[in-house]
Amino acid sequence: MLKEDFSEPARINKTISTKSDLVVVGGGLAGLCCAIAAARGGISVTLVQDRPVLGGNASSEVRLWTLGATSHMGNNNRWSREGGIIDEILVENMYRNKEGNTLIFDAILLEKVKNEKNITLLLNTSVYEVKKADPATISQVIGFCSQNSTTYILNADLFCDASGDGIVGFQAGAAFRMGAESAEEFGEKFAPDISYGELLGHTIYFYSKNVGAPVKYVAPEFALKDITKIPRFKDINDKDFGCRLWWLEYGGRKDTIHESEDIKWELWKVVYGVWDYIKNSGDFPDAENLTLEWVGTIPGKRESRRFEGLYMIKQQDIVEQRLFEDAVSFGGWAVDLHPADGVYDTKPGCTQYHSKGVYQIPLRSMISKNIANLFLAGRIISATHVAFGSTRVMATCGHAGQAAGFAAAQCLKNNILPAHLMEQNQIKRLQQTLSLNGQSIPEIPISQEFNLASKAKIKVSSELVLDRLRPNGQWRKLDISAAQLLPLESKKRYSFKFDFSAIEDTSITVQLRISGRLGYYSPDTILESKNIKLAAGEQEIAFDFETALEKDQYAFITFLKNAKVSYRTSEDRLTGILSLFNGKNKAVNNNGKQDPPIDSGLDAFEFWIPMRRPDGQNLAFSVQPALKAFPKENVVNGFVRPYLKANAWAADFLDQNPLVSLSWDCVQTISEIKLFFDTDYDHPMESSLMGHPEDVIPFCARNLKISDADGNVLYTIGNNYQTIVTHKFDSPISTQGLIIEFEPLSDTTPVALFEIQIFNQMK
């Protein structure tokens, strides 16, 4: 029994003081990825989260799906899903949780953090005070855990603010902004003529459930009574729930930090009023058996403070895809801004304007310009209001967060401050660390300097030479313009054959298109166009292009729509080979073509997008000369996703014993092997609600074994589904060769491998 007598002085909480290399404040996807990256970089990390679960807006408390550059497969950013830790998390989630249950996603995030021995996790702990050693240096942050009534004094050399509202940066005195800059300040044509304080608002979601029997609903007194106060009330239906109702938004005219509780109450008023309308208006008879299963208790917040870094990302950086020497991450979501009145506004719920491709994010935007030992992560990084409209989404935030984490580890190991990463070769070292961990910074390959595989003689059991995709699929009507995206070689002229069927004599237009910007996927340049006559019935058409490409790159063999015509599809699916359609995706403001306002600094262009599996079959075709797109040399070219070419080795369709062997002239000492597989970077892997057609990407190598030159099995992998497989030997091995043997995948999808990295202890 514990008994304490009266204490005249006020008691103080139990207090624990800690010291770590890095303190990360905020356990959303940005802070979580930062903490994991830093821990894997070999430094000690304290991760502080003010909620009972991790994930922020992606958690079960808010239930927003995780998205980034892939934009629901609704833009021209091919193979653009963020790599590294955020990819590892989303791939894991799809394997365990393809249905998108946010409770399971919570557990996956908690597991990822708890598995890192270098991370101390503090949940339910709110940081409320910052101490500084000098005006430009944070020495400690102080937090309180409401669940164990404990105060934590957290000391560290470096800090990362991933808190969303920027509590650390704010209290440390770092420069920040709220609201929109004027067009004049940064030359952003999409910015307003004058600056203003309006922001993107908050949203609260709800889930419904059919219980198989009538359920009555009596709304709380505070619920919205007049549904017509919501101008879009006719868009409400009994089928949508969760983050499909992202537009139930409010708070853009308020202080989204200090008035957040007021905003929450207004959103509860909206949510319960919307449900009252669905249940009791009589307009939705199918809702009789529906019950209100869940309503969020905290709102998902979009915008508050943005902090000033060593560089501020602006509209032109995104739209023009500008390159940076200190690029460490990338984005690709549209510039997505919302009306300040949210759900009560007569304007559309958002204005989304896409760039033609992904854009680089520089490290300087993640470093405070005032506080020397402070990294910025998540939606508070240094960006204008317009640029923030794109950089704010969660997969982009997670991707940048892991860059900050590895950057912090490099700082600690080299005894330097964040700004010093811009000096000498520090940034190149960081870029290579990130690339080796799957970051895939646009246009920056993995260095082969320390890769023993690049010094080896490489042999393979077979190489897929692509001369055709078999006509083993269904016929599909050409009611939407379609294209086959293929990696073509420069200086070559190609001849093609495709199968078509016409209901009457007609003609089709075929075009050879490329992206005007090398390495991107907006087919805005038509190199050649042909009109081909078709007779009624099935037929094979043959054509060739006189135009030869100047450089190796992806090209679009494009057929303009004609509803009288159908084309034959193929069930063959290959790494880096994709069919695209001039289709629409209203979820991301894609109506087939982007027509931005005049003089807005935004581009007009067509959208050519893929279909989700199980749809999205390739077009059946044959080509001469055959495409030698999957040579063995690709496994050491440094690219781990398609870019300019497929960048993967692929075995032949008929190869029943696919293997890659490496041999050296002398014995090598090997401590680590890293393999990069194809988990389809084009698939968005939304973390919740959407659901996915499979739990393992069909291109991903599943079962393999690695043997030494004498045939001794060193390592076996069964049931792999992850993008990167790393094996570190307990003690280094010595061998003059390695053999990697794969189990075939299927008759329609051959085994593929992007990259092999092999290290000795000197990497």
Side-chain angles (χ1 to χ4, degrees):
M1 186 184 87
L2 176 64
K3 181 180 179 182
E4 281 197 23
D5 293 332
F6 169 71
S7 174
E8 187 171 326
R11 293 190 178 100
I12 61 172
N13 297 325
K14 177 182 178 181
T15 301
I16 296 176
S17 182
T18 69
K19 174 67 169 72
S20 54
D21 295 321
L22 171 70
V23 168
V24 180
V25 178
L29 291 182
L32 179 146
C33 288
C34 176
I36 292 174
R40 292 180 181 178
I43 66 174
S44 60
V45 181
T46 301
L47 175 60
V48 191
Q49 166 71 327
D50 62 356
R51 307 301 306 168
V53 291
L54 297 167
N57 283 348
S59 75
S60 62
E61 289 193 311
V62 179
R63 305 194 181 191
L64 174 62
W65 47 40
T66 302
L67 274 176
T70 53
S71 193
H72 282 309
M73 294 171 67
N75 60 17
N76 291 347
N77 298 344
R78 301 283 62 80
W79 298 294
S80 64
R81 192 178 72 247
E82 293 75 9
I85 294 166
I86 188 64
D87 171 67
E88 177 186 325
I89 289 169
L90 293 177
V91 170
E92 187 71 34
N93 183 63
M94 197 176 86
Y95 178 68
R96 300 193 200 180
N97 181 33
K98 69 185 183 71
E99 298 79 15
N101 185 324
T102 55
L103 295 172
I104 295 174
F105 191 56
D106 284 349
I108 289 170
L109 298 181
L110 289 166
E111 177 186 75
K112 284 292 180 186
V113 169
K114 292 299 287 183
N115 283 348
E116 297 294 334
K117 59 181 176 58
N118 287 338
I119 297 179
T120 299
L121 174 62
L122 301 177
L123 295 173
N124 293 305
T125 302
S126 296
V127 167
Y128 63 88
E129 189 173 359
V130 171
K131 300 287 188 181
K132 296 201 288 186
D134 59 57
T137 306
I138 300 170
S139 58
Q140 62 183 213
V141 296
I142 303 172
F144 175 71
C145 177
S146 61
Q147 297 302 297
N148 62 11
S149 197
T150 299
T151 297
Y152 291 93
I153 300 174
L154 307 174
N155 302 275
D157 299 303
L158 295 176
F159 295 82
C160 178
D161 191 340
S163 64
D165 286 339
I167 183 64
V168 178
F170 173 77
Q171 287 217 343
F176 72 92
R177 299 172 176 224
M178 290 181 72
E181 291 79 10
S182 68
E184 182 181 14
E185 183 171 2
F186 292 100
E188 297 176 302
K189 293 186 177 182
F190 197 52
D193 293 333
I194 57 173
S195 63
Y196 63 93
E198 298 172 2
L199 305 171
L200 281 71
H202 302 5
T203 292
I204 284 179
Y205 306 128
F206 67 85
Y207 274 48
S208 59
K209 179 180 180 181
N210 191 320
V211 297
V215 178
K216 75 173 182 178
Y217 176 69
V218 179
E221 188 61 33
F222 59 79
L224 180 67
K225 302 298 189 297
D226 182 3
I227 199 66
T228 64
K229 289 186 176 180
I230 298 176
R232 288 181 59 184
F233 78 93
K234 291 184 179 179
D235 291 343
I236 297 169
N237 63 76
D238 58 345
K239 304 296 187 296
D240 284 343
F241 60 92
C243 47
R244 291 191 181 95
L245 293 170
W246 57 268
W247 55 276
L248 299 183
E249 178 179 350
Y250 179 75
R253 294 191 186 278
K254 290 185 171 291
D255 182 335
T256 55
I257 298 173
H258 301 106
E259 294 181 289
S260 192
E261 282 292 287
D262 298 331
I263 296 170
K264 177 190 72 177
W265 274 102
E266 187 65 27
L267 286 168
W268 272 343
K269 172 182 174 180
V270 168
V271 165
Y272 286 103
V274 165
W275 188 246
D276 187 29
Y277 171 61
I278 290 172
K279 288 292 290 184
N280 297 323
S281 67
D283 293 341
F284 307 99
D286 291 343
E288 184 179 21
N289 293 352
L290 294 182
T291 189
L292 190 58
E293 184 182 31
W294 172 85
V295 174
T297 54
I298 61 171
K301 186 178 291 192
R302 290 181 176 87
E303 183 178 11
S304 55
R305 300 182 182 109
R306 294 170 286 109
F307 284 80
E308 296 184 14
L310 300 177
Y311 181 83
M312 186 170 289
I313 305 169
K314 54 187 176 295
Q315 175 185 338
Q316 299 92 311
D317 299 324
I318 291 172
V319 174
E320 299 169 19
Q321 296 100 56
R322 292 179 177 177
L323 303 180
F324 298 95
E325 288 188 9
D326 61 326
V328 291
S329 180
F330 67 83
W333 187 258
V335 174
D336 183 359
L337 302 176
H338 297 198
D341 290 320
V343 71
Y344 295 126
D345 208 305
T346 57
K347 295 190 286 290
C350 69
T351 55
Q352 290 185 331
Y353 289 103
H354 299 258
S355 59
K356 287 187 175 182
V358 297
Y359 57 88
Q360 293 181 341
I361 297 177
L363 181 64
R364 284 169 295 159
S365 65
M366 306 172 200
I367 299 171
S368 168
K369 75 175 187 180
N370 311 114
I371 306 301
N373 62 341
L374 179 62
F375 285 99
L376 309 168
R379 59 183 171 85
I380 70 169
I381 67 169
S382 184
T384 66
H385 174 76
V386 172
F388 159 88
S390 175
T391 63
R392 66 186 175 85
V393 293
M394 285 189 288
T396 305
C397 289
H399 198 242
Q402 65 197 23
F406 279 115
Q410 187 166 315
C411 285
L412 267 298
K413 289 181 177 180
N414 291 276
N415 195 28
I416 59 176
L417 289 169
H420 299 153
L421 289 168
M422 305 303 131
E423 299 172 2
Q424 299 176 346
N425 290 319
Q426 291 286 350
I427 194 66
K428 291 183 178 178
R429 288 171 57 190
L430 175 60
Q431 288 169 334
Q432 288 307 308
T433 297
L434 291 166
S435 295
L436 278 170
N437 285 276
Q439 192 89 348
S440 293
I441 308 163
E443 304 192 30
I444 299 177
I446 302 173
S447 170
Q448 303 298 322
E449 181 180 1
F450 300 109
N451 183 15
L452 295 178
S454 68
K455 282 78 175 174
K457 183 182 296 182
I458 300 175
K459 294 182 179 180
V460 293
S461 56
S462 65
E463 285 180 357
L464 177 61
V465 177
L466 182 59
D467 60 354
R468 65 175 182 148
L469 290 180
R470 297 168 291 183
N472 52 12
Q474 302 296 313
W475 290 94
R476 180 180 174 86
K477 185 179 289 188
L478 188 61
D479 52 358
I480 303 172
S481 297
Q484 187 62 49
L485 184 61
L486 296 173
L488 302 185
E489 294 181 57
S490 64
K491 314 305 180 186
K492 289 187 177 182
R493 294 181 173 88
Y494 291 94
S495 299
F496 294 92
K497 293 180 181 180
F498 286 80
D499 291 340
F500 282 90
S501 175
I503 60 176
E504 61 182 53
D505 292 355
T506 186
S507 64
I508 58 170
T509 299
V510 57
Q511 297 174 333
L512 176 63
R513 296 188 179 196
I514 60 171
S515 168
R517 178 166 179 149
L518 190 66
Y520 290 73
Y521 304 97
S522 287
D524 50 10
T525 301
I526 301 173
L527 298 179
E528 194 170 336
S529 184
K530 292 178 177 291
N531 189 265
I532 299 174
K533 292 183 178 180
L534 298 179
E538 295 181 13
Q539 60 218 276
E540 181 181 70
I541 66 165
F543 59 90
D544 53 28
F545 291 116
E546 296 297 321
T547 306
L549 304 183
E550 295 182 2
K551 296 182 179 180
D552 293 356
Q553 62 186 290
Y554 273 91
F556 299 70
I557 315 304
T558 308
F559 299 94
L560 301 189
K561 66 180 180 179
N562 181 342
K564 300 175 183 177
V565 174
S566 297
Y567 56 87
R568 190 70 180 272
T569 65
S570 176
E571 293 293 333
D572 296 341
R573 295 186 187 268
L574 305 176
T575 290
I577 304 295
L578 198 62
S579 61
L580 299 172
F581 306 87
N582 184 212
K584 300 178 181 180
N585 188 329
K586 292 183 179 180
V588 291
N589 195 33
N590 169 358
N591 292 306
K593 183 179 180 181
Q594 177 165 290
D595 290 307
I598 296 174
D599 200 30
S600 62
L602 301 163
D603 290 325
F605 59 92
E606 292 179 341
F607 290 101
W608 287 79
I609 60 177
M611 295 182 184
R612 289 178 184 256
R613 287 184 298 276
D615 294 326
Q617 286 81 8
N618 290 301
L619 281 67
F621 70 91
S622 62
V623 57
Q624 288 296 327
L627 306 182
K628 297 180 179 179
F630 303 99
K632 61 187 180 183
E633 291 78 14
N634 281 351
V635 299
V636 288
N637 76 357
F639 289 102
V640 298
R641 63 179 69 199
Y643 168 72
L644 298 178
K645 55 185 180 179
N647 290 325
W649 163 75
D652 189 81
F653 279 105
L654 300 178
D655 191 345
Q656 293 302 301
N657 297 288
L659 65 83
V660 178
S661 70
L662 304 96
S663 61
W664 294 272
D665 294 334
C666 59
V667 172
Q668 303 292 319
T669 301
I670 297 172
S671 61
E672 181 180 334
I673 300 173
K674 190 182 289 276
L675 305 174
F676 294 77
F677 296 117
D678 182 7
T679 55
D680 186 10
Y681 281 113
D682 222 57
H683 187 69
M685 289 190 181
E686 295 94 341
S687 57
S688 62
L689 195 66
M690 285 286 294
H692 302 280
E694 65 245 329
D695 56 3
V696 178
I697 293 296
F699 310 106
C700 184
R702 305 299 309 280
N703 303 305
L704 61 136
K705 68 177 179 179
I706 303 175
S707 306
D708 65 16
D710 299 319
N712 300 308
V713 176
L714 304 174
Y715 181 50
T716 60
I717 303 171
N719 192 34
N720 173 57
Y721 50 87
Q722 274 290 351
T723 308
I724 303 174
V725 171
T726 302
H727 180 65
K728 295 181 179 180
F729 294 99
D730 293 334
S731 55
I733 64 160
S734 297
T735 184
Q736 204 165 339
L738 291 174
I739 302 171
I740 308 171
E741 299 176 78
F742 300 89
E743 184 179 298
L745 289 174
S746 73
D747 293 338
T748 56
T749 303
V751 163
L753 175 65
F754 277 122
E755 183 82 4
I756 304 172
Q757 290 276 327
I758 301 174
F759 304 108
N760 59 26
Q761 291 179 305
M762 297 184 62
K763 72 167 182 175

